[in-house]
Amino acid sequence: MQNHSPSPIQVLVVDDSAVVRQVMDAILSQEPDMAVTVASDPLIAMQKMKQMRPHVIVLDLEMPRMDGLTFLRKIMSEDPIPTLVCSGVAGQGTEKALLALEEGALGILTKPKVGVGNFLHESALALIDMVRAAAQAKLKQRMLLHNFPSSRPASVSVLCSIGAHQAGAIVAIGASIGGTEALAEVLTALSADTPGVVVVQHMPEFFTSAFASRLNALCRIEVKEGGDGDQITRGCAIIAPGNRHLSVVRRRGAFYVELSDGPLVSRHRPSVDVLFRSVASAAGANALGIILTGMGNDGASGMLDMKRAGSSTIAQDEKSCVVFGMPKEAISAGAVDTVAPLACIPNLIMGWASSGRLKQ
């Protein structure tokens, strides 16, 4: 009986920089499960797509003849293909990248420095991981950020009676690919007296601040990028800054944020495992851990630590995930109390806040 190896992931890199195309091609072509095609602009890309429909597109946003956002909108309206945007951090790069997420892109990669040798090993790992995850993504399930109101809603969609439990309670959330939209759906539904929330979303440095600001404009709770020493308070969500690990510590009866450098943990910095382990230690039974859509296994072992420490735990279900990687690993590890559709998670949070337990 013959063994048939699976067909490789067809990756189309669209970038007007010859150096960036060379770096991306060199990194991805080394992977046995990937085949790379390059194009210097979207018009050339469209011609190449007629010969071979890619599984994943890695897309620059600033290009002549047709810009990346216009091309992305065309793809998503005509024939959605999982797309990762490759963005510079200078000028309006961060805002354009976040707009690309709203238009359907799955994640953000930062532009490589000049030359393959200067594209850090960690960045190459992130590129490879994100391409593999994007190849498995379910675009039909996506809820885009621009479906949410552009200002704070007047009415409260999630109602609950907050109990005394909330005074020392904390909610920790981890997410990766697809997580920007999932977080928007969860956080916009929470009432202003929600327990303090801490979030690790896999996202590069410099982008998390703009992402937090965008969420802050949509939510009743305050949303901000975390700073070292910030107190975690009721009605506020703190997003871990890109490229920094975020831990929670308890001092004098209150919770605070500690930021740190150091090696990747579970292939990421910030790492959901780092956050969850610290919450297990600092808050124990007064914590709720939530793992949303994302690639790989970051968060699974940390969530198991939370469960063993008495925390309540939730994983997003497969049907509502863009990529059912992180939740699946947490479920397989025996770390999850409740598996729920994304739309049900805000009510679970508020029910837990009022009673200290998850309501099935």
Side-chain angles (χ1 to χ4, degrees), residues 208-284:
T208 42
S209 177
F211 175 57
S213 296
R214 188 153 294 201
L215 283 177
N216 188 55
L218 298 173
C219 295
R220 298 176 198 93
I221 61 173
E222 179 189 0
V223 184
K224 57 173 284 190
E225 183 184 57
D228 195 42
D230 282 352
Q231 185 174 348
I232 301 162
T233 58
R234 188 173 68 177
C236 180
I238 292 177
I239 311 285
N243 206 33
R244 304 291 303 280
H245 288 305
L246 186 149
S247 301
V248 173
V249 296
R250 187 173 185 127
R251 292 196 295 266
R252 299 179 299 279
F255 296 112
Y256 295 88
V257 164
E258 282 189 353
L259 301 180
S260 61
D261 301 312
L264 302 183
V265 175
S266 305
R267 298 173 76 93
H268 294 283
R269 185 178 54 244
S271 163
V272 183
D273 274 327
V274 169
L275 171 63
F276 283 178
R277 285 173 192 147
S278 71
V279 172
S281 175

Side-chain angles (χ1 to χ4, degrees), residues 84-114:
L84 303 169
V85 296
C86 189
S87 172
V89 299
Q92 295 182 319
T94 52
E95 283 300 322
K96 286 185 177 177
L98 289 175
L99 187 55
L101 293 178
E102 294 181 16
E103 295 292 344
L106 289 174
I108 302 169
L109 296 156
T110 49
K111 283 272 190 184
K113 303 288 192 294
V114 176

Side-chain angles (χ1 to χ4, degrees), residues 156-173 183 185-199 219-223 231-238 255 286 288 290 345-354:
V156 177
S157 60
V158 179
L159 301 174
C160 71
S161 172
I162 301 298
H165 163 75
Q166 192 206 38
I170 188 170
V171 179
I173 304 176
L183 281 167
E185 183 163 351
V186 171
L187 296 182
T188 54
L190 298 179
S191 62
D193 57 357
T194 301
V197 179
V198 278
V199 177
C219 295
R220 298 176 198 93
I221 61 173
E222 179 189 0
V223 184
Q231 185 174 348
I232 301 162
T233 58
R234 188 173 68 177
C236 180
I238 292 177
F255 296 112
N286 289 323
L288 172 63
I290 303 169
I345 290 176
N347 275 307
L348 288 171
I349 293 171
M350 302 311 286
W352 171 84
S354 66

